[in-house]
Amino acid sequence: MADLKSELPGLTGKTYLYGQARDGFAVMVTEETNATARFMNRLGPTPLPAVANLGGRGSVPGAVDVSYERAALFDRADVLFMTYQGGALKEKFEKDPVVSRLRILKSDRYLPLGIEAATALQSPNAAAVPWLIDELRPALTSVS
């Protein structure tokens, strides 16, 4: 992690969003106590305040549910990482009338994650971190 942070010092001060697309909403990690947020914060970026400050109770602890109608907020993030419980939900998310217009989805700042990367990001450990960094590197490099 220290190597990546020194390689990409521009990550400090950037914002990210990480979440899982569900049927009609995305569960976005926002609380600094969440393992994913702690991992990302060690690299430099922080959760996008516009989403973190939405408040409300998410369907997952440490997260906030964001309806696709409010997905325009996602364009404010420097980088967006999303995971999906299946290909149909990924397609539904990316083809949603609001989501499909997002600039971030058409850029290298958007990185759909497979279940392995999502699992490692939600519970980073010494064995998974080097692999996880390689998975995230393309999107992180684009914003550094």
Side-chain angles (χ1 to χ4, degrees), residues 58-80:
S59 54
V60 174
V64 63
D65 295 347
V66 181
S67 69
Y68 290 171
E69 290 83 21
R70 299 191 78 183
L73 291 169
F74 300 170
D75 262 342
R76 297 183 192 175
D78 291 308
V79 65
L80 172 65

Side-chain angles (χ1 to χ4, degrees), residues 16 18-20 22 25-38 55-65 121-122:
Y16 75 92
Y18 167 71
Q20 182 180 75
R22 304 265 176 101
F25 69 98
V27 179
M28 307 305 288
V29 170
T30 57
E31 288 186 14
E32 300 290 330
T33 58
N34 181 284
T36 299
R38 286 194 313 268
R57 190 166 185 219
S59 54
V60 174
V64 63
D65 295 347
L121 193 52
Q122 292 167 9

Side-chain angles (χ1 to χ4, degrees), residues 96-141:
D96 178 86
V98 175
V99 175
S100 65
R101 292 191 308 257
L102 297 177
R103 292 180 314 276
I104 199 164
L105 255 62
K106 298 170 178 75
S107 75
D108 54 1
R109 299 180 304 122
Y110 165 61
L111 184 63
L113 298 175
I115 192 69
E116 297 87 4
T119 301
L121 193 52
Q122 292 167 9
S123 184
N125 60 63
V129 165
W131 174 84
L132 179 59
I133 287 173
D134 286 343
E135 291 292 303
L136 302 179
R137 184 182 304 274
L140 293 174
T141 299

